Amino acid sequence: DGETGLLCRPKDVTDLRDKMLSILELGWEGRRQMGLKGRQLMENRYDVRFVVSAYLQQIQRTLSSKIDQ
């Protein structure tokens, strides 16, 4: 929270308002940096190759456990 984006408590309008104000207070460069870091995090964590690889590994583990039974 605060480096790659901000999290708000669910259904908490006051928290949402506070986070929106803090984004405005960052200034242009601070918002730009946060956006770049957030994008990099998403590209690294949710790259299609990573996601497909994780799915294939899980399928392999599931199939292996079924064969061993």
Side-chain angles (χ1 to χ4, degrees):
D1 195 24
E3 190 170 328
T4 58
L6 298 173
L7 297 174
C8 301
R9 289 186 295 271
K11 299 181 182 182
D12 187 334
V13 176
T14 302
D15 189 44
L16 175 60
R17 180 205 62 206
D18 293 344
K19 298 294 171 59
M20 291 173 76
L21 289 172
S22 68
I23 288 286
L24 290 173
E25 291 170 358
L26 284 175
W28 188 87
E29 183 60 25
R31 290 190 299 272
R32 189 179 82 76
Q33 286 297 317
M34 185 180 284
L36 290 172
K37 289 177 183 178
R39 181 184 177 114
Q40 186 66 45
L41 176 70
M42 293 299 108
E43 287 176 350
N44 291 340
R45 188 172 290 175
Y46 300 107
D47 179 277
V48 69
R49 292 167 294 190
F50 173 76
V51 173
V52 169
S53 176
Y55 275 119
L56 291 174
Q57 288 174 14
Q58 184 59 47
I59 290 168
Q60 184 63 39
R61 284 192 296 270
T62 301
L63 290 174
S64 293
S65 69
K66 295 293 183 186
I67 291 171
D68 292 340
Q69 291 180 351

